[in-house]
Amino acid sequence: MAHVTITRPTTYRAAVIGTGFMGRVHSHAIAAAGGTVAGIAGSTPERARRAAPALRAEAVFDDIGALIDAADVVHVCVPNHLHAPIALAAIAAGKHVVCEKPLATDLDTARAMTEAAAAAGVVATVPFVYRFHPMVREARARVAAGRIGRLTLAHGSYLQDWLLRPDDDNWRVDADKGGALRAFGDIGSHWCDLLEFVTGDRITAVSAQLATANRRRGGRDVSTEDIVTLQFATAGGMIGSTVVSQVSAGRKNRLLLEVSGTEATLAFDQERPETLWIGGREVNGVLMRDPDHLSPDAARLARVPGGHAQGYQDCFNAFVADTGAAIAGDAPDGLPVFADGLRAARIAEAVAASARARDWAEVPA
Amino acid sequence: MAHVTITRPTTYRAAVIGTGFMGRVHSHAIAAAGGTVAGIAGSTPERARRAAPALRAEAVFDDIGALIDAADVVHVCVPNHLHAPIALAAIAAGKHVVCEKPLATDLDTARAMTEAAAAAGVVATVPFVYRFHPMVREARARVAAGRIGRLTLAHGSYLQDWLLRPDDDNWRVDADKGGALRAFGDIGSHWCDLLEFVTGDRITAVSAQLATANRRRGGRDVSTEDIVTLQFATAGGMIGSTVVSQVSAGRKNRLLLEVSGTEATLAFDQERPETLWIGGREVNGVLMRDPDHLSPDAARLARVPGGHAQGYQDCFNAFVADTGAAIAGDAPDGLPVFADGLRAARIAEAVAASARARDWAEVPA
Amino acid sequence: MAHVTITRPTTYRAAVIGTGFMGRVHSHAIAAAGGTVAGIAGSTPERARRAAPALRAEAVFDDIGALIDAADVVHVCVPNHLHAPIALAAIAAGKHVVCEKPLATDLDTARAMTEAAAAAGVVATVPFVYRFHPMVREARARVAAGRIGRLTLAHGSYLQDWLLRPDDDNWRVDADKGGALRAFGDIGSHWCDLLEFVTGDRITAVSAQLATANRRRGGRDVSTEDIVTLQFATAGGMIGSTVVSQVSAGRKNRLLLEVSGTEATLAFDQERPETLWIGGREVNGVLMRDPDHLSPDAARLARVPGGHAQGYQDCFNAFVADTGAAIAGDAPDGLPVFADGLRAARIAEAVAASARARDWAEVPA
Amino acid sequence: MAHVTITRPTTYRAAVIGTGFMGRVHSHAIAAAGGTVAGIAGSTPERARRAAPALRAEAVFDDIGALIDAADVVHVCVPNHLHAPIALAAIAAGKHVVCEKPLATDLDTARAMTEAAAAAGVVATVPFVYRFHPMVREARARVAAGRIGRLTLAHGSYLQDWLLRPDDDNWRVDADKGGALRAFGDIGSHWCDLLEFVTGDRITAVSAQLATANRRRGGRDVSTEDIVTLQFATAGGMIGSTVVSQVSAGRKNRLLLEVSGTEATLAFDQERPETLWIGGREVNGVLMRDPDHLSPDAARLARVPGGHAQGYQDCFNAFVADTGAAIAGDAPDGLPVFADGLRAARIAEAVAASARARDWAEVPA
């Protein structure tokens, strides 16, 4: 017999709603995970039609309800203020949901979405995708194994420059569409998620400042912040701080997280995601992503040998693959779900409250 | 009307022959390019069957002729000594071919394969995939535009450590399967291809040394080299050198290329592929892969914003996509074809001759 | 005539009080500046005698008053709580003074010392020596020239690990000898000085947290902090933050200062003091300390060509040379004087008050 | 008794001949070592007089013989073709000599100088000062202790850009004053010295190419090379290569040396001299110059704590201090003497012969 045909049941028929950059990233990840993009919808039918080839869409829908019906999993990649209605509709239809962060533009809505997903028993995930860098997993495994000792200090930054100039503009700048906290909601939430993910610890109180470097963009006043500075304390006894900015010239996507304990320090830089810096009193280590020398959860996410760089799309692919595994009944370690999105909303609310009151604000567990 | 179905004709039905690491990388790239893996074959039917899910194969073949017949494009991912018979069979069947490098274990065979592909009029490409790092394209564009001035010096290295220990072993170690030149054939050829690709210049003479650090592996004598040092001169008047090693502890895939001209220096490091170093007398520049600030051919290959790392698989995806475009009748810039594989074989032969004679050896144009 | 004898009047006859590491650094700088160490005194006469050769001392004194009388300039290199009595005695004797930081262990004493020096009309300097890295001067010149634009954000850290372990000990750990704030007084003050020096701006309010990682050292309780996190706002409209730690494994003397404006970002790392990072939207620059391409004040402090590293002792030498120039009647730009030491004490008091009250604290101008 | 006067016999009364940049560096090092600059001479008496303050000279001589008579140690800091007559005169007068490299512009003269110094029994040293970076000593100690394993490969580069432009000029460009080999004699010799110093191995054969990027400078033809590429083999069984250039834009003084053995790799970068990179299969190390964690000979040369940078002048100071120790009868480890300068001349002659003949050339032991 010359050949055997392989039948692979497609378990991941996705709807992708939103056809911008994030829609393309989601679609590519769906294909990489062996799924299909059963249909897409965009802000206009024409846009969706033009985007269809790049998104490998099997169909273009102009009715979102029909699109939800046609899919098993709904990927919500639209501006923030539209996350809730679409995600809630998908959940109501019994579909699994992947919803971009921030889940919603206010805490109550994020809570409602999380509760709805839980009640419906669907898989509902949020792409805190930096969790899927193998070296982030390695950092987490080393903390968990006690190799860093008792944690004492965490600090870092998340810096970008794409909104540096007064004529740089985006829907995220508008509080109505993106939410009242922009830089923090968009990228600061990633930093806090990574901190809590790597350390297994929880922020309990924050003290923050907000600043808007460009008070006008696109001919209108801007109320959302360009810069956040943030101090915090944790349940486990760490103190720390971070800086978030979208107006730091020369920094493209500089997420730095440094965690110090009584035995060692770990530092991860998202612009160089293939290495983990391990500070020691006698010698510092630079661990490269060589699957032969990583902890199991990090090695699991290493797809190519050390020195052959993995990147952002690889993280996204792994996130969608793990979402698929959860739908199939597995419980992949570290999958970010709506509860994590809700957690981010809680921290964001405390940051806003602290800055407003110029005082420390508690973060509920 | 609720939706429009999109019909995408599959123009890229691929056979993947060889189910190891490279087979997986090729398969992922085929899927990312919108193609399908119509069938696979491996060293044994059992291995192929086990690999089928990871390779998204639609069928597993135990007859390679039948597999070739079932595909439009044949990806040859087997040990080096098997490249020629399979690629020639595919060409004879009128199929397009993607053949791993080195094309063959000797120059004459590489020439025969190149001539056969040309005679058959098929697209025949070789994955010199580092050409698909956007920053490599940026370097090439800057040289071509004269921004580096008249080129005077090129140097660098390609260093790995996966064969450091006497008990590290692989089919590439055997001259019968991998060819007489191992380190140079496997990775040195990449360096030379990148040099000529970035500079548009040609090596005309080489002087080389070979060394075998571990003379026994796996209980048998080893004749292939672990280390190469290489000097060269070019048609355009540069001199230069490189070092190739598979036994350099701590270097995973360290391909460094530095090119100096009368105006500036460019340096590219494959372990940090997202930046290009631009040396200047007054200030040095570090250009990040931000598509908004790249030359057109580099921007074309940038899939995600600056600071969101692209990696090895992204290069491979772009290579296969461009192979697909060539099959569709386009002429994508910089696509590495069998003539480039033949070029690598010519340089390799001169390297071997130089080392043997302990003298300079000419490289035919 | 075969030769001409050169008569150089020694204008810098120094007393060095304190014979530890800082005493050696001061003595070397005095010699490098062409001065002489007329005499030294230590915690015991025996110690001073043993240290004399390394400090090039012309004499060893056991009476500090006599030593002050024998010198033109008195270098105070003793534990912090002894700074004031010695410096005030030197000032009372009409001598110039170089006093280690922090000037005193409380604000009132620092103010009294500053006023005494002003009243006496002597030169009184404080070794905020990082001001003497040429690339710090370059950063300052670029800010002053408007090349960074309107400043919006400053952040960074000052991290060490020499007090990581519970058995690491030093007089600085005792509040009685070193002052109530230890990490901030010892190194945080450097960071704040550098911030204000480079930007020409002033911190107006701070919000801080303190933590003591090791609550016992050397068999006694520790009240001084190992870690500080600090947020601030400035008169010029910047916000910012910094992290100070003496228990960050792997960080030896990591003073990082990053300043962002509407046009560019500057970053200086004291562990790599020969370069200045210049962030830009299109390309980042790495400026090396090549005197041919620096602003005048930076070029003035460049003693060797680019690529031939300058270091900590070179900074100290330049600081003492500028102190000597001030004594000779010049007004060298950027010389840190007692008013700067007083400024540091004001900020330290606000940091302590903020941490105590868990609230923002104003910093008087 | 209030004080004890310390009498330090001045054992190091130096003559400094040559008042350019190197003369200043030597003079500073003499002072740092506790010596005195008894007298100086320059290319003209006026120049010497102007330079006297910067060189802390006690006298200016216009007769070199008289200057030699007035000193115990003669520092020869003049253009290369003048090294031999002055050094030989000093040796004939029974004086110790510190002579800049290259010792002479031809091998025979270098040999005669070395023999003369040996016959006279004077201390005669050559400032291969990069040997005095503590991390170079650390590398050497680790090789000697077998921590790198059996050495297999050495490579690197020494790159500068100060002669990049056709209008950059210097006496070194003239073969009559600087010698026939310029880039190799000036900086390549440092690289080879460091290689042999760190590894304890010897180059036995070389194959080199020379290139002159700018064939005219200052209105005259240039015969000396701007660029060298060099392959070599060693007595111990290593192969290797290096690149030397004075026209590599953006590289100021980039001396890189990487040595690989069967256990580990070491890399030293003179532009970042405070760290040593230690490549390993599992994790790479970055060792900082923290005296508490260095081998004895490295710790001996560490003058300030880790993180407080040491630099070029610190190396020079240590070199002169060790020269002084040798004069005093000690035998400091690693002091570069005329035999090392002669060794450099032998390698240079082989490099020139190889390039001329386009063939390998042996290097006599």
Side-chain angles (χ1 to χ4, degrees):
Chain A
M1 184 198 60
H3 74 277
V4 176
T5 301
I6 308 289
T7 308
R8 286 187 302 146
T10 294
T11 57
Y12 202 102
R13 285 184 54 81
V16 175
I17 304 176
T19 60
F21 163 61
M22 288 317 305
R24 285 200 305 279
V25 169
H26 282 246
S27 294
H28 191 102
I30 291 161
T36 57
V37 179
I40 62 172
S43 52
T44 68
E46 285 67 36
R47 278 197 191 162
R49 218 151 295 161
R50 280 201 303 275
L55 275 69
R56 295 122 207 268
E58 296 186 348
V60 173
F61 287 69
D62 47 18
D63 180 79
I64 286 181
L67 173 52
I68 289 172
D69 287 343
D72 302 319
V73 195
V74 177
H75 286 247
V76 184
C77 311
V78 293
N80 301 345
H81 67 304
L82 300 175
H83 289 174
I86 296 173
L88 288 168
I91 292 166
K95 307 297 180 166
H96 306 293
V97 183
V98 177
C99 182
E100 270 297 329
K101 24 84 5 200
L103 273 191
T105 55
D106 67 289
L107 175 58
D108 286 345
T109 308
R111 187 183 297 114
M113 293 164 74
T114 306
E115 291 170 355
V122 298
V123 171
T125 62
V126 183
F128 285 123
V129 291
Y130 300 131
R131 292 187 180 194
F132 291 85
H133 280 302
M135 301 319 276
V136 165
R137 299 286 173 134
E138 182 66 26
R140 183 177 176 238
R142 288 178 177 238
V143 169
R147 296 172 72 174
I148 314 308
R150 176 172 50 86
L151 302 186
T152 57
L153 170 65
H155 57 103
S157 60
Y158 198 153
L159 309 176
Q160 300 181 328
D161 72 358
W162 66 289
L163 289 171
L164 176 65
R165 308 252 179 243
D167 53 355
D168 296 322
D169 206 356
N170 186 273
W171 59 259
R172 287 175 180 82
V173 167
D174 289 334
D176 288 348
K177 293 182 182 155
L181 280 187
R182 183 229 312 154
F184 188 81
D186 194 21
I187 58 175
S189 59
H190 271 297
W191 195 91
C192 293
D193 179 73
L194 219 54
L195 169 73
E196 296 193 346
F197 182 67
V198 165
T199 63
D201 197 358
R202 285 279 170 134
I203 294 174
T204 52
V206 298
S207 167
Q209 293 182 100
L210 310 179
T212 304
N214 290 308
R215 300 203 156 275
R216 286 186 66 81
R217 293 183 190 267
R220 62 199 192 291
D221 291 339
V222 172
S223 68
T224 53
E225 87 287 0
D226 292 315
I227 305 173
V228 185
T229 69
L230 177 66
Q231 288 185 98
F232 55 83
T234 71
M238 280 194 288
I239 66 171
S241 75
T242 193
V243 177
V244 177
S245 164
Q246 296 182 314
V247 292
S248 286
R251 302 301 189 187
K252 296 301 173 191
N253 206 36
R254 175 81 152 193
L255 189 167
L256 277 176
L257 173 64
E258 182 163 329
V259 179
S260 286
T262 51
E263 300 298 327
T265 295
L266 296 177
F268 175 78
D269 174 357
Q270 203 277 141
E271 289 186 350
R272 291 184 182 171
E274 293 281 282
T275 55
L276 181 66
W277 186 87
I278 306 166
R281 179 77 157 256
E282 300 197 6
V283 62
N284 296 328
V286 177
L287 188 68
M288 301 185 74
R289 190 195 47 70
D290 183 337
D292 293 343
H293 305 295
L294 298 182
S295 56
D297 193 35
R300 173 177 80 87
L301 296 171
R303 304 297 299 264
V304 286
H308 299 73
Q310 290 188 195
Y312 178 77
Q313 185 69 53
D314 296 291
C315 288
F316 229 101
N317 294 358
F319 161 69
V320 171
D322 274 8
T323 297
I327 291 172
D330 287 351
D333 189 26
L335 182 65
V337 295
F338 272 26
D340 300 299
L342 174 57
R343 173 76 190 153
R346 282 206 177 99
I347 297 174
E349 179 150 295
V351 165
S354 164
R356 213 162 38 229
R358 208 168 168 72
D359 197 359
W360 284 83
E362 304 302 307
V363 182
Chain B
M1 185 196 61
H3 74 274
V4 177
T5 301
I6 307 290
T7 308
R8 287 186 302 146
T10 294
T11 58
Y12 202 102
R13 285 183 56 80
V16 174
I17 304 175
T19 60
F21 163 61
M22 288 317 305
R24 286 200 305 279
V25 169
H26 281 248
S27 294
H28 191 103
I30 291 162
T36 57
V37 178
I40 62 173
S43 52
T44 68
E46 286 66 35
R47 276 196 194 163
R49 219 152 293 160
R50 279 202 303 276
L55 274 69
R56 298 121 206 269
E58 295 186 349
V60 172
F61 287 70
D62 47 18
D63 181 79
I64 286 183
L67 173 53
I68 289 173
D69 287 342
D72 302 319
V73 194
V74 177
H75 286 247
V76 184
C77 311
V78 292
N80 301 346
H81 67 304
L82 301 175
H83 289 176
I86 296 174
L88 288 168
I91 292 167
K95 306 297 179 167
H96 306 292
V97 183
V98 177
C99 183
E100 269 299 328
K101 26 90 354 205
L103 274 190
T105 54
D106 67 287
L107 176 57
D108 286 345
T109 307
R111 187 183 296 113
M113 293 164 73
T114 306
E115 289 170 357
V122 298
V123 170
T125 63
V126 182
F128 285 123
V129 291
Y130 299 131
R131 292 186 180 195
F132 291 84
H133 280 302
M135 302 318 276
V136 165
R137 299 287 172 132
E138 183 66 26
R140 182 179 178 235
R142 287 178 178 238
V143 169
R147 296 172 73 174
I148 314 307
R150 176 172 51 85
L151 302 185
T152 57
L153 171 64
H155 57 104
S157 60
Y158 198 153
L159 308 175
Q160 301 181 329
D161 71 358
W162 65 288
L163 289 172
L164 176 65
R165 308 255 179 239
D167 53 357
D168 297 321
D169 205 355
N170 187 273
W171 59 258
R172 287 173 179 83
V173 167
D174 289 333
D176 288 347
K177 294 182 183 157
L181 280 186
R182 183 229 311 154
F184 188 81
D186 194 23
I187 58 175
S189 61
H190 270 298
W191 195 91
C192 293
D193 180 72
L194 219 54
L195 169 74
E196 296 193 347
F197 182 66
V198 165
T199 63
D201 198 358
R202 285 280 169 133
I203 294 173
T204 52
V206 298
S207 167
Q209 292 182 100
L210 310 179
T212 303
N214 289 309
R215 300 203 156 274
R216 286 187 65 81
R217 293 183 191 268
R220 62 198 193 291
D221 291 339
V222 172
S223 68
T224 54
E225 87 286 1
D226 292 316
I227 306 173
V228 185
T229 69
L230 177 66
Q231 289 185 97
F232 56 83
T234 71
M238 281 194 288
I239 67 171
S241 75
T242 193
V243 177
V244 177
S245 164
Q246 296 182 314
V247 291
S248 287
R251 303 302 190 185
K252 296 301 172 192
N253 206 35
R254 176 82 152 193
L255 189 166
L256 277 175
L257 174 64
E258 182 163 330
V259 179
S260 286
T262 51
E263 300 298 327
T265 295
L266 296 176
F268 174 78
D269 173 358
Q270 202 278 140
E271 288 186 351
R272 292 183 182 171
E274 293 283 281
T275 55
L276 182 66
W277 186 86
I278 307 167
R281 179 78 157 256
E282 301 198 4
V283 62
N284 297 328
V286 177
L287 188 68
M288 300 185 74
R289 190 195 46 71
D290 183 339
D292 293 343
H293 305 295
L294 298 182
S295 54
D297 192 36
R300 173 177 81 86
L301 295 171
R303 305 296 300 263
V304 286
H308 299 72
Q310 290 188 194
Y312 178 77
Q313 185 70 54
D314 296 290
C315 287
F316 228 102
N317 295 356
F319 161 69
V320 171
D322 274 8
T323 297
I327 291 172
D330 286 350
D333 190 25
L335 182 66
V337 295
F338 272 26
D340 299 299
L342 174 57
R343 173 75 191 152
R346 282 206 177 98
I347 297 174
E349 178 150 296
V351 164
S354 163
R356 214 161 37 229
R358 209 167 166 73
D359 198 359
W360 284 82
E362 304 301 306
V363 183
Chain C
M1 184 195 60
H3 73 276
V4 178
T5 301
I6 307 289
T7 307
R8 286 186 303 147
T10 294
T11 57
Y12 202 102
R13 284 184 55 80
V16 174
I17 304 176
T19 59
F21 163 61
M22 287 318 305
R24 286 200 306 279
V25 169
H26 280 248
S27 294
H28 191 103
I30 291 162
T36 57
V37 179
I40 62 172
S43 52
T44 68
E46 285 66 36
R47 276 196 194 163
R49 217 151 296 161
R50 280 200 304 275
L55 275 69
R56 295 122 208 270
E58 295 185 349
V60 172
F61 287 70
D62 47 17
D63 180 80
I64 286 182
L67 172 53
I68 289 173
D69 287 343
D72 302 319
V73 195
V74 177
H75 286 247
V76 184
C77 310
V78 293
N80 301 345
H81 66 305
L82 300 175
H83 289 176
I86 296 173
L88 288 168
I91 292 167
K95 307 297 180 166
H96 307 293
V97 183
V98 177
C99 183
E100 268 299 328
K101 25 93 349 209
L103 273 190
T105 54
D106 67 288
L107 175 57
D108 287 345
T109 307
R111 188 184 297 113
M113 293 165 73
T114 306
E115 291 170 354
V122 298
V123 170
T125 62
V126 182
F128 285 123
V129 292
Y130 299 130
R131 292 186 180 195
F132 291 85
H133 280 302
M135 302 318 277
V136 165
R137 300 285 173 133
E138 183 66 26
R140 182 178 178 236
R142 287 178 178 237
V143 169
R147 296 172 72 174
I148 314 308
R150 175 171 52 83
L151 302 186
T152 57
L153 171 64
H155 57 104
S157 60
Y158 197 153
L159 308 176
Q160 301 180 330
D161 71 359
W162 65 289
L163 290 171
L164 176 66
R165 307 255 178 239
D167 54 356
D168 296 321
D169 206 355
N170 186 273
W171 59 258
R172 287 174 180 82
V173 167
D174 290 333
D176 289 347
K177 294 183 182 155
L181 279 187
R182 183 229 312 155
F184 188 81
D186 194 23
I187 59 175
S189 60
H190 270 298
W191 195 91
C192 294
D193 180 74
L194 218 54
L195 169 73
E196 295 193 348
F197 182 67
V198 165
T199 63
D201 199 358
R202 286 279 169 134
I203 293 173
T204 52
V206 298
S207 166
Q209 292 182 99
L210 310 179
T212 303
N214 289 309
R215 300 205 154 273
R216 286 186 64 82
R217 291 182 191 269
R220 63 201 193 289
D221 290 340
V222 172
S223 68
T224 54
E225 87 286 1
D226 291 316
I227 306 173
V228 186
T229 68
L230 177 66
Q231 288 185 99
F232 56 83
T234 71
M238 279 194 289
I239 67 171
S241 75
T242 193
V243 177
V244 176
S245 164
Q246 296 182 313
V247 291
S248 286
R251 302 301 189 186
K252 296 300 172 191
N253 205 36
R254 175 83 153 192
L255 189 166
L256 277 177
L257 174 64
E258 182 162 330
V259 179
S260 286
T262 50
E263 300 297 327
T265 295
L266 296 177
F268 175 78
D269 174 357
Q270 202 278 141
E271 288 186 351
R272 291 184 182 170
E274 293 282 282
T275 55
L276 181 66
W277 186 86
I278 306 166
R281 179 77 157 256
E282 300 197 5
V283 64
N284 296 329
V286 177
L287 189 66
M288 300 186 74
R289 189 195 47 70
D290 183 338
D292 293 343
H293 305 294
L294 298 182
S295 56
D297 193 36
R300 173 177 82 86
L301 296 172
R303 304 297 300 264
V304 286
H308 299 72
Q310 290 187 194
Y312 179 77
Q313 185 69 53
D314 296 290
C315 288
F316 228 102
N317 294 357
F319 161 69
V320 171
D322 274 8
T323 297
I327 290 171
D330 287 350
D333 190 25
L335 182 66
V337 295
F338 272 25
D340 299 300
L342 174 57
R343 174 76 191 152
R346 283 207 177 98
I347 297 173
E349 178 150 293
V351 164
S354 164
R356 212 161 38 228
R358 209 168 167 74
D359 198 357
W360 284 83
E362 304 301 306
V363 183
Chain D
M1 185 196 60
H3 74 276
V4 177
T5 301
I6 307 289
T7 308
R8 285 187 303 144
T10 294
T11 56
Y12 202 100
R13 285 184 55 79
V16 175
I17 304 176
T19 60
F21 163 62
M22 287 317 305
R24 285 200 306 279
V25 169
H26 281 247
S27 295
H28 191 103
I30 292 162
T36 57
V37 179
I40 63 172
S43 54
T44 68
E46 286 67 35
R47 277 197 193 162
R49 217 152 294 160
R50 279 200 304 275
L55 274 69
R56 296 122 206 270
E58 296 185 348
V60 172
F61 287 70
D62 47 17
D63 180 80
I64 285 181
L67 172 53
I68 288 172
D69 287 342
D72 301 319
V73 195
V74 177
H75 286 247
V76 183
C77 311
V78 292
N80 301 345
H81 66 305
L82 301 175
H83 289 175
I86 296 173
L88 288 169
I91 291 166
K95 307 296 181 167
H96 306 294
V97 183
V98 178
C99 183
E100 269 298 329
K101 26 90 352 209
L103 274 190
T105 54
D106 66 287
L107 175 58
D108 286 345
T109 308
R111 188 183 298 113
M113 294 165 73
T114 305
E115 290 171 354
V122 299
V123 170
T125 62
V126 182
F128 285 122
V129 292
Y130 299 131
R131 291 187 181 194
F132 290 85
H133 280 302
M135 302 319 276
V136 166
R137 299 285 173 136
E138 182 66 25
R140 183 178 176 237
R142 287 177 178 238
V143 170
R147 297 172 71 175
I148 313 309
R150 175 171 51 84
L151 302 185
T152 57
L153 170 65
H155 58 103
S157 59
Y158 197 154
L159 308 175
Q160 300 181 328
D161 72 356
W162 65 289
L163 289 172
L164 177 65
R165 307 255 179 239
D167 54 355
D168 297 321
D169 206 356
N170 185 274
W171 60 259
R172 287 175 180 82
V173 168
D174 289 334
D176 289 348
K177 294 182 181 155
L181 279 188
R182 184 229 312 155
F184 188 81
D186 194 22
I187 58 175
S189 60
H190 270 298
W191 195 92
C192 293
D193 180 73
L194 218 54
L195 169 73
E196 295 193 346
F197 182 67
V198 165
T199 62
D201 198 358
R202 286 279 170 134
I203 294 174
T204 52
V206 298
S207 166
Q209 293 182 98
L210 310 179
T212 304
N214 289 308
R215 301 205 154 274
R216 287 186 65 82
R217 293 182 191 268
R220 62 199 194 291
D221 291 339
V222 171
S223 67
T224 54
E225 87 287 0
D226 292 317
I227 306 172
V228 185
T229 68
L230 177 67
Q231 288 184 98
F232 55 84
T234 71
M238 280 194 288
I239 67 171
S241 75
T242 193
V243 177
V244 177
S245 165
Q246 297 182 313
V247 292
S248 285
R251 302 301 189 186
K252 296 302 172 191
N253 205 36
R254 176 82 152 193
L255 188 166
L256 277 177
L257 174 64
E258 182 163 329
V259 179
S260 286
T262 50
E263 299 299 327
T265 295
L266 296 177
F268 175 77
D269 174 357
Q270 203 278 140
E271 289 186 350
R272 291 184 182 170
E274 293 282 281
T275 55
L276 180 67
W277 186 87
I278 306 167
R281 180 78 157 255
E282 299 198 6
V283 63
N284 296 329
V286 177
L287 188 68
M288 300 186 74
R289 189 195 46 71
D290 183 337
D292 294 342
H293 305 295
L294 298 182
S295 55
D297 193 37
R300 174 177 81 86
L301 295 171
R303 305 297 300 262
V304 286
H308 300 72
Q310 290 187 194
Y312 178 77
Q313 184 70 53
D314 296 291
C315 288
F316 229 101
N317 295 357
F319 161 70
V320 172
D322 273 8
T323 297
I327 290 172
D330 287 351
D333 189 26
L335 182 66
V337 295
F338 273 26
D340 299 299
L342 173 58
R343 173 76 190 153
R346 282 205 177 98
I347 297 174
E349 179 150 294
V351 164
S354 163
R356 213 162 37 228
R358 209 166 168 74
D359 198 358
W360 284 84
E362 304 301 306
V363 182

